[in-house]
Amino acid sequence: MTTRHAADRAPRATPASGRTPGNTPEEIGTTVFDVGRDLRRDVAEVELPLVLDGVEEAEAARRRLLNQLDEHLLPRLKELSSPAVVVIAGSTGAGKSTLYNSLLGEEVSQAGVLRPTTREPVFAYNPLDVDVLVHSPTTAMSRVVEHDGVPRGTALLDAPDLDSLLAENRSTAAQLLEAADLWLFVTTAARYGDALPWVALGQAMERGASVAMVLNRVPQHNLTTIRGDLLARLREHGMEGVPLFVIPDVGPHEGMLDRATVTPTARWLTMLAGPDRSRAVIVRTLKGSLAALPAWVTGIADAVQQQVEAAEVLRATIEKALPDAEATARASVASGVVAEGSVASRWAQLASAEKIDRLKVRHGLARSTKRRGRAREAALEPLLDEVRAAATRTLVAAGSSADDALRAALTGPDAPPGGPAFAPEHGDPAREAAREKAAKDQVHEWVSVAERAVEALRGIDEPGVTPQDSAENRRAEAAVKALGPTGLVALLLTSAAGVDDATRLVQSLLGDPGLASAQTLASDLADRAAAMVAREPVDLLERLDIPALAPDAAVGLRLRLAELRRLS
């Protein structure tokens, strides 16, 4: 079944409307309204997020174009692109509904021998025209259906008889003819001489409607004679250009006519609905408005492209600002900045009060009781806190320095277009809070790495597993007994931070494996400082990584522009 009532129509995807480069509107059934609607969508989606010279003017132009499309062009284009209404009209018994159904290839309008047969007008249109169909008094008084058999660009309307016995039907038929764009007048070999056809055709010619005549039920034996007589009458009435289609008499029958019989009429309707003809009318009517669109769209597309190019320069500027900041952050950790200040003071206090640096070592093994080891561990815990705090400050400083470097690159004398407005605000509380949290998370993980390093030195592969028994493992176990697990972690981290006395004690207690662990921790902290630098521009780059600033952001508008130029 190819017919659907419009009121019962289920939602469906909008038909493709010519977005593939290389296709012409004729090849894919595009109308000017299709192009205008796509243009409106693409213009509405345009964003100009970067503060560049001329961006306010471009945004104002974009809003004006949207207003022009919404308030003027699209309504007019929709009306002019709406299917041309072809009314199949005629007198009682002329076979209008039979012809109507035959053209569609389906019984859509009731046909029969009882008069009047057609009481309710039937308005059929192609489903692809649903977006441009204008609902009007004509559709309001008709049964509206979708049908694939209707040529796109037309709507076929089966009207009541012009000479119906019912006054209501005659009135409806007259109204429908007034609203019609094309008249397909059906008469018969027995009735074409009546006054009614000529009055109706004369009215159509007066209002400039396109007209064609179907002469139905013509006996085969005198077809040529009757056709010639009718053509002569058309010339007498100044209608020599009116197409005439002759349908031979097929005798009593029910149902539709043979398809070959109505093919010439169907072909004429398709020609009238052709894209070249309908497009020419629309472009001619709206020539001035349409001619202004290419320059308008070009300006907006250029503004979008300017944004895209500015975003590329901003990305390059950001990336160029980072290497020096990363190198500085790594150098700062390597220079022992973490060990300065509070960490050095805390170590000196421990060395004086607890004699940490004088721990006895015999034959490579630390000598201590468990009780003394627990006391040293408790004394070393504040040192671990100081190392955490100092490392956190160092990482925060690395992030802050990167933030300053970015701001200088984006706002300095050589700042790129849009840079000053794009640069991060100095002292932004949200950024500072995020930086502080990121630094604490990094230091927490750094301490965890140290804890795993102590377990590795002890030969513990998994928690709860008996340590392996080797010379290196025994040295680590002795160190743990002398300092406690937390104390040994604090010692390794203090060495990694840059306290030389702590490094010497690591060498004494753990040997080369301990020194390697401390050096690994120092390198790990430098990597974390570099990571703090790398995270600073992430939110800036995310602001640039949006569709409005993608390399192809202007492609849609350029395509709409090409379509407009083809239609103008």
Side-chain angles (χ1 to χ4, degrees):
M1 190 72 170
T2 55
T3 303
R4 288 194 295 167
H5 290 271
D8 300 328
R9 184 176 61 249
R12 65 173 183 278
T14 302
S17 52
R19 299 175 192 166
T20 304
N23 287 348
T24 65
E26 292 81 355
E27 291 171 342
I28 51 182
T30 303
T31 67
V32 180
F33 177 77
D34 293 329
V35 176
R37 180 188 55 193
D38 290 347
L39 173 63
R40 199 270 176 212
R41 182 201 61 230
D42 289 347
V43 171
E45 292 176 353
V46 166
E47 296 179 17
L48 305 172
L50 301 179
V51 182
L52 306 176
D53 290 342
V55 71
E56 292 182 0
E57 292 81 356
E59 176 59 25
R62 187 187 75 87
R63 290 195 298 267
R64 288 197 305 271
L65 178 53
L66 282 177
N67 185 66
Q68 171 77 349
L69 288 167
D70 288 341
E71 302 298 329
H72 176 61
L73 281 174
L74 283 180
R76 290 183 64 188
L77 286 172
K78 184 171 184 177
E79 181 179 356
L80 291 171
S81 298
S82 184
V85 178
V86 180
V87 173
I88 298 181
S91 54
T92 301
K96 303 185 304 301
S97 296
T98 297
L99 176 62
Y100 186 87
N101 293 332
S102 300
L103 289 171
L104 295 180
E106 184 178 352
E107 296 279 356
V108 174
S109 184
Q110 182 183 3
V113 296
L114 296 178
R115 303 292 175 236
T117 299
T118 303
R119 296 179 176 86
E120 180 186 31
V122 180
F123 183 102
Y125 67 95
N126 190 291
L128 295 178
D129 284 330
V130 64
D131 290 333
V132 294
L133 180 65
V134 174
H135 295 284
S136 63
T138 299
T139 58
M141 67 176 65
S142 305
R143 175 164 62 91
V144 180
V145 298
E146 291 181 347
H147 199 289
D148 295 333
V150 181
R152 188 177 184 190
T154 63
L156 297 185
L157 180 58
D158 188 16
D161 300 332
L162 287 173
D163 58 353
S164 174
L165 297 175
L166 300 178
E168 181 181 355
N169 280 359
R170 294 196 301 273
S171 175
T172 299
Q175 284 181 264
L176 295 176
L177 285 172
E178 284 300 316
D181 298 298
L182 311 169
W183 288 24
L184 187 57
F185 196 89
V186 184
T187 187
T188 65
R191 301 283 303 273
Y192 74 86
D194 294 350
L196 179 62
W198 302 105
V199 172
L201 289 172
Q203 292 172 347
M205 299 298 289
E206 288 175 3
R207 60 186 294 270
S210 298
V211 174
M213 178 176 280
V214 175
L215 185 60
N216 195 16
R217 302 189 189 124
V218 181
Q220 192 67 46
H221 65 276
N222 58 355
L223 186 152
T224 302
T225 302
I226 293 176
R227 183 177 182 277
D229 182 58
L230 181 53
L231 287 174
R233 289 173 181 260
L234 287 170
R235 285 194 296 272
E236 291 174 5
H237 286 81
M239 301 178 188
E240 58 272 12
V242 171
L244 174 62
F245 304 99
V246 177
I247 297 178
D249 188 4
V250 296
H253 76 289
E254 293 184 2
M256 296 178 291
L257 299 170
D258 181 78
R259 183 63 187 174
T261 303
V262 298
T263 293
T265 309
R267 185 182 301 118
W268 177 76
L269 290 173
T270 302
M271 291 175 59
L272 288 175
D276 285 334
R277 177 173 178 139
S278 61
R279 190 180 69 183
V281 172
I282 296 168
V283 173
R284 183 168 60 251
T285 304
L286 297 176
K287 184 176 181 180
S289 297
L290 290 172
L293 287 181
W296 212 337
V297 176
T298 296
I300 296 174
D302 288 346
V304 172
Q305 188 60 37
Q306 183 185 19
Q307 294 268 319
V308 172
E309 294 171 358
E312 285 299 315
V313 176
L314 287 171
R315 288 189 191 95
T317 301
I318 290 169
E319 293 170 359
K320 188 177 180 181
L322 294 180
D324 288 346
E326 179 183 337
T328 299
R330 289 184 177 278
S332 178
V333 172
S335 69
V337 68
V338 178
E340 297 174 357
S342 61
V343 173
S345 297
R346 180 66 66 176
W347 177 263
Q349 180 184 349
L350 287 170
S352 175
E354 301 295 332
K355 312 298 183 185
I356 292 292
D357 57 341
R358 299 180 187 180
L359 185 64
K360 293 181 180 180
V361 178
R362 293 180 183 176
H363 306 295
L365 300 177
R367 299 299 180 179
S368 175
T369 64
K370 289 184 177 180
R371 183 181 62 82
R372 188 67 183 121
R374 287 193 295 269
R376 292 191 187 98
E377 184 175 34
L380 284 166
E381 285 180 354
L383 175 63
L384 180 57
D385 292 339
E386 292 292 352
V387 173
R388 282 196 186 99
T392 300
R393 289 193 297 271
T394 299
L395 296 189
V396 169
S400 296
S401 295
D403 186 65
D404 292 340
L406 288 170
R407 192 176 303 103
L410 293 170
T411 63
D414 297 326
F422 188 74
E425 181 182 351
H426 180 68
D428 181 357
R431 287 176 65 85
E432 290 183 349
R435 186 181 303 126
E436 183 77 22
K437 182 181 183 304
K440 289 180 178 179
D441 291 344
Q442 289 281 5
V443 171
H444 177 78
E445 180 58 30
W446 184 52
V447 173
S448 297
V449 171
E451 292 170 347
R452 293 193 292 271
V454 168
E455 292 181 349
L457 289 168
R458 296 172 66 188
I460 298 176
D461 295 328
E462 297 180 11
V465 177
T466 302
Q468 300 176 17
D469 188 15
S470 69
E472 292 178 357
N473 302 148
R474 288 193 294 272
R475 292 187 71 172
E477 282 298 318
V480 167
K481 182 180 179 182
L483 300 176
T486 300
L488 190 54
V489 168
L491 179 63
L492 284 175
L493 291 175
T494 304
S495 172
V499 176
D500 292 338
D501 287 343
T503 301
R504 282 190 286 271
L505 183 56
V506 169
Q507 171 74 56
S508 177
L509 295 177
L510 301 172
D512 290 342
L515 285 179
S517 294
Q519 291 168 358
T520 298
L521 288 168
S523 177
D524 183 72
L525 185 60
D527 289 342
R528 295 180 189 280
M532 290 296 294
V533 171
R535 68 167 297 280
E536 284 299 317
V538 168
D539 63 327
L540 300 180
L541 294 174
E542 287 176 349
R543 287 166 55 191
L544 296 175
D545 188 21
I546 59 176
L549 300 176
D552 61 349
V555 168
L557 289 175
R558 301 292 188 195
L559 179 55
R560 300 290 86 78
L561 184 61
E563 290 174 338
L564 286 171
R565 285 172 173 161
R566 284 201 300 269
L567 293 174
S568 62

